[in-house]
Amino acid sequence: MAEPLQQLVLTTLDVQGSIPDTRTLVLPGQTLPAASNDDQIAILGALNSLLSREMITYETREVISHVLTPEGAQIANEGSHEARVWSVLPEKGKGTPVSPVQLKKFVGDETAKVGQGRAFKNGWIGKDGDGLVKLVAEISDATKNDMQEIASTGTLKTGEKILADLRKRKLIVQRKIQWFTVNKGSNFSTSTVKPETDLTVDMLTSGTWKTSTFKKYNFEAEGIPTNGGALHPLLKVREEIRDIFLEMGFAEMPTSSFVESGFWCFDALFVPQQHPAREMQDTFYLSDPQRALPPQPEYYKKVSTVHEHGGFGSTGYRAPWSHEESSKLLLRTHTTASSAHMLYKLAAKCRGEVIEGDEQELTHGAKDTTNLDGKGDDGFRPAKLFSIDRVFRNEAMDATHLAEFHQVEGVVADRGLTLADLIGFMRVFFKKMGIENVRFKPAYNPYTEPSLEIFAFHPMLNKWVEVGNSGMFRPEMLEPMGFPKDVHVHGWGLSLERPTMIRYGINNIRTLVGHKVSIDHIENSAAVMF
Ligand code: PHE
């Protein structure tokens, strides 16, 4: 279509000198002038192509036009409702008056209802006994005439008032029609030979470059969007949070082990073996292999003893210990399993073990400046650790829950830490994330005492929402690892998804994670700064 259309424009310009109104063009293969918007859009394509070669110039014009609705079209063909009512009635004294029931049969319910009223008002019909009759022998059906005029010209000579009335009666609708005025351009010619886009060796050697027309550079062209990779919003927010931890002096924990044992995910954290979170409906267990390798025997013994019989000032759970429960392999339900591994490692020197290399990595070389009890070096080094990685829970999926998500977790180990330290840390941490308004609520975790839930005021939802969970790790967890009594460890965790959803205004997790994620959305989500 494109080429013949361009040819048509050029030939018409050649013959007429100009095209004042492109709606008068009869497009190739058609018999009527190009009155529709679609036709004009096709013409616009041809005009732009000719314009880029400066063969023409054009101006865009716009008119508001009207088209008939299906009801309007029926009136244009069959007359107005009132005229149809009038036409089926006998003249007064010349036949049997038509009863209202009969009238409905003749013209249909709708026309009988609307038409009667108007015909009465116009003085066209009247009552004769119980029936209806014509009062005049001839009528002029103005509505029908108006509709016919609009159908052919798009408007009414009589003016806007009647048009407005017809629009209100839903007989016509407004439509914007675009059309163009076309004139010859500086390179006008009737030939649509495509201009050259490249200067080739052949042209240079043969000399044809001298006579060729070249396509102009279009410096306004937008160019093809580049096909680079784009970071998923979760990764962007992960990066931001990682930066916050790093600038606060935290070291990142290795968290690549998605599979953990019941021992590390729960027992080491003093989560009772009967805890509901450990049940099948909450935790994914592995079927092959089912069992983990045994942990270090001495530590294992200490953990099982503190559960079963107590110790370190605790009465324990005093429930029988199940080795089977402890050795089950599972998908970790929280990254606190990794924190437990790391804390165990951090306490190695306190247990009198020699560790190579790891200490520096865990502690950033921090000095134990608070060991003032005069008993000498007990091997403890303070540490601030964090992780951001994936966890798994056997959850019913809905708009805000998936069976896997990411946890952000921070752990601080030092002598004499208090709850005030934890709260202070939380305030700084969340402030750096842009959350200034935080509140703490007492909560319960099997592995922390006291425990605090963290709430932040959500200005969009206009309410306090839970943003994290935290607490001071229990002695039943820390002391079997070998930490000295005065070493306290506090920790907190939050999901990565929640702040990301808030940040990007996403309210369904499935538009953030999974097969329904729109790549456009990923590519176009700007990086955010807390
Ligand atoms: N593990 C907790 C959770 O899954 C978060 C947490 C981490 C709480 C560390 C206290 C200390 O919600």
Side-chain angles (χ1 to χ4, degrees), residues 269 333-337 339 391 393 405 407-411 445 447-448 451-452 466 468-473 490-494:
L269 296 169
T333 58
H334 52 184
T335 44
T336 317
S339 301
V391 299
R393 291 186 190 173
F405 63 100
Q407 269 189 338
V408 176
E409 178 149 331
V411 169
N445 287 315
Y447 38 92
T448 54
S451 308
L452 298 172
E466 197 198 323
N469 179 15
S470 67
M472 311 277 299
F473 286 114
H490 61 225
W492 69 97
L494 55 139

Side-chain angles (χ1 to χ4, degrees), residues 49-318:
S49 174
L50 294 171
L51 182 73
S52 72
R53 284 173 263 161
E54 296 184 11
M55 296 176 81
I56 61 144
T57 61
Y58 75 82
E59 279 164 63
T60 306
R61 320 257 176 202
E62 235 174 49
V63 279
I64 300 293
S65 175
H66 288 90
V67 290
L68 308 190
T69 62
E71 190 184 350
Q74 195 189 12
I75 290 173
N77 289 331
E78 299 169 19
S80 62
H81 297 297
E82 53 273 28
R84 273 179 269 160
V85 167
W86 173 85
S87 70
V88 297
L89 302 182
E91 272 181 57
K92 191 168 181 168
K94 290 195 181 162
T96 329
V98 173
S99 74
V101 180
Q102 273 175 315
L103 181 66
K104 278 188 189 166
K105 277 198 194 128
F106 290 153
V107 296
D109 287 3
E110 180 69 17
T111 298
K113 201 170 89 199
V114 183
Q116 254 185 87
R118 287 178 185 277
F120 267 114
K121 220 170 113 200
N122 292 351
W124 294 351
I125 64 169
K127 279 215 160 151
D128 189 2
D130 284 341
L132 297 166
V133 291
K134 277 182 183 156
L135 295 183
V136 292
E138 243 175 76
I139 57 164
S140 148
D141 189 356
T143 312
K144 177 180 176 175
N145 298 341
D146 287 347
M147 299 315 286
Q148 285 176 343
E149 186 181 337
I150 293 168
S152 63
T153 66
T155 186
L156 272 184
K157 280 211 196 71
T158 45
E160 181 51 32
K161 233 181 116 182
I162 300 177
L163 285 172
D165 180 52
L166 294 174
R167 278 200 300 269
K168 223 165 73 199
R169 284 166 63 189
K170 297 211 166 63
L171 300 181
I172 58 172
V173 284
Q174 255 182 5
R175 183 91 28 107
K176 220 181 352 190
I177 303 271
Q178 228 180 28
W179 50 280
F180 310 93
T181 302
V182 191
N183 283 295
K184 291 180 185 172
S186 53
N187 283 341
F188 178 78
S189 114
T190 50
S191 147
T192 53
V193 177
K194 278 235 156 161
E196 304 293 347
T197 50
D198 273 321
L199 182 62
T200 63
V201 176
D202 280 352
M203 288 180 193
L204 291 172
T205 47
S206 66
T208 53
W209 65 272
K210 289 183 205 159
T211 50
S212 308
T213 16
F214 288 93
K215 187 168 180 178
K216 288 223 160 190
Y217 283 116
N218 177 3
F219 294 108
E220 241 98 278
E222 283 200 337
I224 302 164
T226 49
N227 231 349
L231 280 185
H232 189 280
L234 278 175
L235 296 182
K236 286 187 242 191
V237 174
R238 184 181 72 177
E239 214 43 43
E240 301 269 343
I241 296 180
R242 175 179 277 147
D243 283 348
I244 292 173
F245 276 119
L246 292 176
E247 76 184 33
M248 290 176 86
F250 281 71
E252 187 160 10
M253 298 186 254
T255 46
S256 51
S257 49
F258 290 3
V259 174
E260 286 285 358
S261 61
F263 180 80
W264 284 107
C265 197
F266 301 120
D267 296 331
L269 296 169
F270 198 55
V271 177
Q273 292 197 316
Q274 298 76 19
H275 195 281
R278 300 177 71 146
E279 282 170 23
M280 287 263 273
Q281 56 269 33
D282 290 301
T283 300
F284 291 113
Y285 286 94
L286 266 67
S287 53
D288 185 21
Q290 291 188 351
R291 303 266 166 248
L293 295 173
Q296 200 267 340
E298 236 173 282
Y299 176 48
Y300 181 75
K301 182 81 200 131
K302 283 190 173 148
V303 170
S304 63
T305 307
V306 80
H307 275 250
E308 203 169 0
H309 308 294
F312 313 107
S314 166
T315 54
Y317 294 119
R318 285 171 292 171

